[in-house]
Amino acid sequence: ATNGNVVMSANGVDNSNGLVGALAGSVYINANNGTFTNTKGSVQSSNGLTIKNVSALDNTAGILADTDSGAVNITAASLNNITGAYNATTSGGVISSRAGALNLALTGALNNSGLINAGKDSSAQTAQLNIGGAFDNSGTIQSTADLVFNFLGSATQNNSATGKLVAGNNLT
């Protein structure tokens, strides 16, 4: 972790059980069309989190979050956000922005059993999810403002009995 910005460009990233953090800055990761594995890993910023050019993003029991005022922007072919024990006291499978918007742009599938969240406390923020493949949700996707889905393909959309879609304002 650093007090400044973190900028990373690699042909794939494995942050399993790792920590990438910007305590007073932003995190920018370009996976150059490689995979990004964040199994029980944590990537956190306080002024914006951007992860882009990922072929497959695996956030099993991991945390991808902006903890202060920044937006979270993720661009990937596919995303698995799977709930699980991050450590003894914290659940992982979390993608969250505290006071900024959350934008997911996926050309392929979204498989979520964890938490995808935009805005906490009294800050109303929009979550926008552009999904080009199958949508399978058994977790929670929520926003304190609008929750916007754009399904770009004709693939299956499944919000299971345990899946929750919650919007403070509009759900579209």
Side-chain angles (χ1 to χ4, degrees):
T2 180
N3 284 325
N5 297 325
V6 174
V7 178
M8 181 186 310
S9 182
N11 294 325
V13 176
D14 187 346
N15 190 47
S16 298
N17 298 299
L19 169 65
V20 175
L23 303 174
S26 63
V27 173
Y28 176 89
I29 298 172
N30 183 347
N32 293 313
N33 298 315
T35 60
F36 188 120
T37 303
N38 194 49
T39 301
K40 292 191 175 188
S42 178
V43 179
Q44 297 188 37
S45 66
S46 64
N47 195 25
L49 170 61
T50 299
I51 300 171
K52 64 183 248 178
N53 296 325
V54 179
S55 63
L57 175 53
D58 182 0
N59 192 45
T60 299
I63 298 171
L64 302 172
D66 187 277
T67 60
D68 194 5
S69 61
V72 172
N73 298 294
I74 297 173
T75 304
S78 65
L79 169 61
N80 284 319
N81 188 51
I82 308 301
T83 192
Y86 173 71
N87 60 32
T89 60
T90 305
S91 290
V94 174
I95 299 172
S96 181
S97 67
R98 181 176 185 87
L102 185 136
N103 300 294
L104 295 180
L106 307 173
T107 57
L110 170 61
N111 181 18
N112 179 56
S113 67
L115 172 66
I116 298 173
N117 177 71
K120 291 185 180 179
D121 305 326
S122 62
S123 62
Q125 292 300 328
T126 297
Q128 180 162 334
L129 293 83
N130 297 316
I131 303 166
F135 171 77
D136 189 9
N137 181 50
S138 59
T140 300
I141 301 173
Q142 64 187 18
S143 170
T144 55
D146 295 337
L147 179 55
V148 179
F149 288 91
N150 294 307
F151 295 106
L152 308 173
S154 60
T156 304
Q157 290 112 32
N158 178 31
N159 190 54
S160 73
T162 59
K164 296 178 184 138
L165 304 176
V166 181
N169 293 332
N170 300 308
L171 173 62
T172 58

PDB file of all heavy atoms in Angstrom, residues 94-117:
ATOM      1  N   VAL A  94     -16.516  -9.061  -3.015  1.00  0.00           N
ATOM      2  CA  VAL A  94     -17.086  -7.723  -2.883  1.00  0.00           C
ATOM      3  C   VAL A  94     -16.463  -6.799  -3.923  1.00  0.00           C
ATOM      4  O   VAL A  94     -15.239  -6.724  -4.048  1.00  0.00           O
ATOM      5  CB  VAL A  94     -16.831  -7.151  -1.469  1.00  0.00           C
ATOM      6  CG1 VAL A  94     -17.289  -5.701  -1.373  1.00  0.00           C
ATOM      7  CG2 VAL A  94     -17.505  -8.006  -0.416  1.00  0.00           C
ATOM      8  N   ILE A  95     -17.336  -6.082  -4.642  1.00  0.00           N
ATOM      9  CA  ILE A  95     -16.923  -4.999  -5.532  1.00  0.00           C
ATOM     10  C   ILE A  95     -17.741  -3.800  -5.083  1.00  0.00           C
ATOM     11  O   ILE A  95     -18.978  -3.838  -5.110  1.00  0.00           O
ATOM     12  CB  ILE A  95     -17.187  -5.332  -7.003  1.00  0.00           C
ATOM     13  CG1 ILE A  95     -16.396  -6.577  -7.410  1.00  0.00           C
ATOM     14  CG2 ILE A  95     -16.830  -4.148  -7.893  1.00  0.00           C
ATOM     15  CD1 ILE A  95     -16.726  -7.099  -8.795  1.00  0.00           C
ATOM     16  N   SER A  96     -17.070  -2.727  -4.642  1.00  0.00           N
ATOM     17  CA  SER A  96     -17.810  -1.662  -3.977  1.00  0.00           C
ATOM     18  C   SER A  96     -17.165  -0.295  -4.166  1.00  0.00           C
ATOM     19  O   SER A  96     -15.946  -0.170  -4.157  1.00  0.00           O
ATOM     20  CB  SER A  96     -17.896  -1.970  -2.478  1.00  0.00           C
ATOM     21  OG  SER A  96     -18.610  -0.981  -1.794  1.00  0.00           O
ATOM     22  N   SER A  97     -18.016   0.717  -4.297  1.00  0.00           N
ATOM     23  CA  SER A  97     -17.585   2.106  -4.232  1.00  0.00           C
ATOM     24  C   SER A  97     -18.342   2.761  -3.088  1.00  0.00           C
ATOM     25  O   SER A  97     -19.552   2.593  -2.963  1.00  0.00           O
ATOM     26  CB  SER A  97     -17.867   2.837  -5.546  1.00  0.00           C
ATOM     27  OG  SER A  97     -19.257   2.955  -5.754  1.00  0.00           O
ATOM     28  N   ARG A  98     -17.636   3.472  -2.244  1.00  0.00           N
ATOM     29  CA  ARG A  98     -18.277   4.083  -1.077  1.00  0.00           C
ATOM     30  C   ARG A  98     -19.066   5.338  -1.455  1.00  0.00           C
ATOM     31  O   ARG A  98     -20.205   5.500  -1.043  1.00  0.00           O
ATOM     32  CB  ARG A  98     -17.248   4.421  -0.015  1.00  0.00           C
ATOM     33  CG  ARG A  98     -17.867   5.023   1.225  1.00  0.00           C
ATOM     34  CD  ARG A  98     -16.821   5.267   2.310  1.00  0.00           C
ATOM     35  NE  ARG A  98     -17.460   5.729   3.506  1.00  0.00           N
ATOM     36  CZ  ARG A  98     -17.952   4.943   4.456  1.00  0.00           C
ATOM     37  NH1 ARG A  98     -17.862   3.641   4.328  1.00  0.00           N
ATOM     38  NH2 ARG A  98     -18.523   5.453   5.521  1.00  0.00           N
ATOM     39  N   ALA A  99     -18.442   6.255  -2.202  1.00  0.00           N
ATOM     40  CA  ALA A  99     -19.104   7.516  -2.521  1.00  0.00           C
ATOM     41  C   ALA A  99     -18.957   7.883  -3.991  1.00  0.00           C
ATOM     42  O   ALA A  99     -19.144   9.034  -4.373  1.00  0.00           O
ATOM     43  CB  ALA A  99     -18.559   8.635  -1.637  1.00  0.00           C
ATOM     44  N   GLY A 100     -18.621   6.909  -4.825  1.00  0.00           N
ATOM     45  CA  GLY A 100     -18.482   7.144  -6.256  1.00  0.00           C
ATOM     46  C   GLY A 100     -19.333   6.170  -7.037  1.00  0.00           C
ATOM     47  O   GLY A 100     -19.844   5.191  -6.493  1.00  0.00           O
ATOM     48  N   ALA A 101     -19.490   6.438  -8.305  1.00  0.00           N
ATOM     49  CA  ALA A 101     -20.263   5.547  -9.181  1.00  0.00           C
ATOM     50  C   ALA A 101     -19.519   4.230  -9.372  1.00  0.00           C
ATOM     51  O   ALA A 101     -18.316   4.140  -9.139  1.00  0.00           O
ATOM     52  CB  ALA A 101     -20.498   6.219 -10.525  1.00  0.00           C
ATOM     53  N   LEU A 102     -20.258   3.214  -9.794  1.00  0.00           N
ATOM     54  CA  LEU A 102     -19.678   1.913 -10.103  1.00  0.00           C
ATOM     55  C   LEU A 102     -20.095   1.540 -11.517  1.00  0.00           C
ATOM     56  O   LEU A 102     -21.287   1.559 -11.835  1.00  0.00           O
ATOM     57  CB  LEU A 102     -20.160   0.849  -9.112  1.00  0.00           C
ATOM     58  CG  LEU A 102     -19.501  -0.513  -9.286  1.00  0.00           C
ATOM     59  CD1 LEU A 102     -19.124  -1.074  -7.926  1.00  0.00           C
ATOM     60  CD2 LEU A 102     -20.419  -1.465  -9.996  1.00  0.00           C
ATOM     61  N   ASN A 103     -19.112   1.248 -12.369  1.00  0.00           N
ATOM     62  CA  ASN A 103     -19.367   0.902 -13.762  1.00  0.00           C
ATOM     63  C   ASN A 103     -18.670  -0.398 -14.111  1.00  0.00           C
ATOM     64  O   ASN A 103     -17.450  -0.508 -13.955  1.00  0.00           O
ATOM     65  CB  ASN A 103     -18.854   2.014 -14.689  1.00  0.00           C
ATOM     66  CG  ASN A 103     -19.533   3.339 -14.419  1.00  0.00           C
ATOM     67  OD1 ASN A 103     -20.722   3.480 -14.638  1.00  0.00           O
ATOM     68  ND2 ASN A 103     -18.776   4.295 -13.906  1.00  0.00           N
ATOM     69  N   LEU A 104     -19.460  -1.372 -14.573  1.00  0.00           N
ATOM     70  CA  LEU A 104     -18.911  -2.630 -15.066  1.00  0.00           C
ATOM     71  C   LEU A 104     -19.220  -2.733 -16.548  1.00  0.00           C
ATOM     72  O   LEU A 104     -20.384  -2.612 -16.947  1.00  0.00           O
ATOM     73  CB  LEU A 104     -19.534  -3.828 -14.359  1.00  0.00           C
ATOM     74  CG  LEU A 104     -19.289  -4.009 -12.865  1.00  0.00           C
ATOM     75  CD1 LEU A 104     -20.002  -5.256 -12.365  1.00  0.00           C
ATOM     76  CD2 LEU A 104     -17.810  -4.089 -12.568  1.00  0.00           C
ATOM     77  N   ALA A 105     -18.215  -2.956 -17.357  1.00  0.00           N
ATOM     78  CA  ALA A 105     -18.390  -3.153 -18.796  1.00  0.00           C
ATOM     79  C   ALA A 105     -17.818  -4.524 -19.140  1.00  0.00           C
ATOM     80  O   ALA A 105     -16.600  -4.723 -19.116  1.00  0.00           O
ATOM     81  CB  ALA A 105     -17.688  -2.056 -19.586  1.00  0.00           C
ATOM     82  N   LEU A 106     -18.716  -5.476 -19.403  1.00  0.00           N
ATOM     83  CA  LEU A 106     -18.306  -6.860 -19.669  1.00  0.00           C
ATOM     84  C   LEU A 106     -18.765  -7.264 -21.057  1.00  0.00           C
ATOM     85  O   LEU A 106     -19.948  -7.146 -21.376  1.00  0.00           O
ATOM     86  CB  LEU A 106     -18.928  -7.801 -18.629  1.00  0.00           C
ATOM     87  CG  LEU A 106     -18.685  -7.434 -17.164  1.00  0.00           C
ATOM     88  CD1 LEU A 106     -19.490  -8.352 -16.250  1.00  0.00           C
ATOM     89  CD2 LEU A 106     -17.208  -7.491 -16.835  1.00  0.00           C
ATOM     90  N   THR A 107     -17.844  -7.768 -21.869  1.00  0.00           N
ATOM     91  CA  THR A 107     -18.234  -8.270 -23.187  1.00  0.00           C
ATOM     92  C   THR A 107     -18.802  -9.674 -23.087  1.00  0.00           C
ATOM     93  O   THR A 107     -19.451 -10.145 -24.002  1.00  0.00           O
ATOM     94  CB  THR A 107     -17.046  -8.259 -24.161  1.00  0.00           C
ATOM     95  OG1 THR A 107     -15.985  -9.034 -23.606  1.00  0.00           O
ATOM     96  CG2 THR A 107     -16.566  -6.831 -24.424  1.00  0.00           C
ATOM     97  N   GLY A 108     -18.558 -10.328 -21.961  1.00  0.00           N
ATOM     98  CA  GLY A 108     -19.044 -11.690 -21.736  1.00  0.00           C
ATOM     99  C   GLY A 108     -19.893 -11.777 -20.495  1.00  0.00           C
ATOM    100  O   GLY A 108     -20.657 -10.864 -20.178  1.00  0.00           O
ATOM    101  N   ALA A 109     -19.721 -12.854 -19.751  1.00  0.00           N
ATOM    102  CA  ALA A 109     -20.622 -13.224 -18.657  1.00  0.00           C
ATOM    103  C   ALA A 109     -20.282 -12.556 -17.331  1.00  0.00           C
ATOM    104  O   ALA A 109     -19.124 -12.247 -17.047  1.00  0.00           O
ATOM    105  CB  ALA A 109     -20.583 -14.738 -18.466  1.00  0.00           C
ATOM    106  N   LEU A 110     -21.341 -12.379 -16.518  1.00  0.00           N
ATOM    107  CA  LEU A 110     -21.215 -11.991 -15.123  1.00  0.00           C
ATOM    108  C   LEU A 110     -21.817 -13.092 -14.270  1.00  0.00           C
ATOM    109  O   LEU A 110     -22.983 -13.449 -14.423  1.00  0.00           O
ATOM    110  CB  LEU A 110     -21.954 -10.681 -14.827  1.00  0.00           C
ATOM    111  CG  LEU A 110     -22.077 -10.305 -13.335  1.00  0.00           C
ATOM    112  CD1 LEU A 110     -20.702 -10.125 -12.698  1.00  0.00           C
ATOM    113  CD2 LEU A 110     -22.920  -9.056 -13.162  1.00  0.00           C
ATOM    114  N   ASN A 111     -21.000 -13.662 -13.384  1.00  0.00           N
ATOM    115  CA  ASN A 111     -21.444 -14.665 -12.424  1.00  0.00           C
ATOM    116  C   ASN A 111     -21.205 -14.073 -11.037  1.00  0.00           C
ATOM    117  O   ASN A 111     -20.066 -13.869 -10.634  1.00  0.00           O
ATOM    118  CB  ASN A 111     -20.656 -15.964 -12.608  1.00  0.00           C
ATOM    119  CG  ASN A 111     -21.109 -17.044 -11.657  1.00  0.00           C
ATOM    120  OD1 ASN A 111     -22.186 -16.989 -11.087  1.00  0.00           O
ATOM    121  ND2 ASN A 111     -20.243 -18.031 -11.471  1.00  0.00           N
ATOM    122  N   ASN A 112     -22.284 -13.742 -10.319  1.00  0.00           N
ATOM    123  CA  ASN A 112     -22.164 -13.073  -9.029  1.00  0.00           C
ATOM    124  C   ASN A 112     -22.898 -13.825  -7.933  1.00  0.00           C
ATOM    125  O   ASN A 112     -24.099 -14.050  -8.015  1.00  0.00           O
ATOM    126  CB  ASN A 112     -22.745 -11.651  -9.113  1.00  0.00           C
ATOM    127  CG  ASN A 112     -22.661 -10.926  -7.788  1.00  0.00           C
ATOM    128  OD1 ASN A 112     -21.579 -10.788  -7.219  1.00  0.00           O
ATOM    129  ND2 ASN A 112     -23.792 -10.470  -7.285  1.00  0.00           N
ATOM    130  N   SER A 113     -22.170 -14.210  -6.879  1.00  0.00           N
ATOM    131  CA  SER A 113     -22.805 -14.708  -5.660  1.00  0.00           C
ATOM    132  C   SER A 113     -22.383 -13.842  -4.481  1.00  0.00           C
ATOM    133  O   SER A 113     -22.730 -14.129  -3.343  1.00  0.00           O
ATOM    134  CB  SER A 113     -22.441 -16.180  -5.396  1.00  0.00           C
ATOM    135  OG  SER A 113     -21.060 -16.297  -5.100  1.00  0.00           O
ATOM    136  N   GLY A 114     -21.648 -12.789  -4.753  1.00  0.00           N
ATOM    137  CA  GLY A 114     -21.158 -11.878  -3.723  1.00  0.00           C
ATOM    138  C   GLY A 114     -21.960 -10.594  -3.688  1.00  0.00           C
ATOM    139  O   GLY A 114     -23.178 -10.583  -3.910  1.00  0.00           O
ATOM    140  N   LEU A 115     -21.260  -9.481  -3.449  1.00  0.00           N
ATOM    141  CA  LEU A 115     -21.863  -8.158  -3.337  1.00  0.00           C
ATOM    142  C   LEU A 115     -21.237  -7.217  -4.348  1.00  0.00           C
ATOM    143  O   LEU A 115     -20.011  -7.075  -4.388  1.00  0.00           O
ATOM    144  CB  LEU A 115     -21.660  -7.598  -1.921  1.00  0.00           C
ATOM    145  CG  LEU A 115     -22.061  -6.135  -1.701  1.00  0.00           C
ATOM    146  CD1 LEU A 115     -23.564  -5.957  -1.857  1.00  0.00           C
ATOM    147  CD2 LEU A 115     -21.599  -5.648  -0.332  1.00  0.00           C
ATOM    148  N   ILE A 116     -22.078  -6.583  -5.149  1.00  0.00           N
ATOM    149  CA  ILE A 116     -21.662  -5.496  -6.033  1.00  0.00           C
ATOM    150  C   ILE A 116     -22.458  -4.287  -5.571  1.00  0.00           C
ATOM    151  O   ILE A 116     -23.688  -4.301  -5.588  1.00  0.00           O
ATOM    152  CB  ILE A 116     -21.925  -5.830  -7.510  1.00  0.00           C
ATOM    153  CG1 ILE A 116     -21.101  -7.060  -7.932  1.00  0.00           C
ATOM    154  CG2 ILE A 116     -21.598  -4.631  -8.396  1.00  0.00           C
ATOM    155  CD1 ILE A 116     -21.402  -7.575  -9.326  1.00  0.00           C
ATOM    156  N   ASN A 117     -21.766  -3.217  -5.130  1.00  0.00           N
ATOM    157  CA  ASN A 117     -22.419  -2.128  -4.426  1.00  0.00           C
ATOM    158  C   ASN A 117     -21.891  -0.764  -4.862  1.00  0.00           C
ATOM    159  O   ASN A 117     -20.687  -0.565  -4.944  1.00  0.00           O
ATOM    160  CB  ASN A 117     -22.159  -2.301  -2.922  1.00  0.00           C
ATOM    161  CG  ASN A 117     -22.733  -1.180  -2.122  1.00  0.00           C
ATOM    162  OD1 ASN A 117     -23.939  -1.064  -1.983  1.00  0.00           O
ATOM    163  ND2 ASN A 117     -21.863  -0.337  -1.583  1.00  0.00           N
TER     164      ASN A 117
END
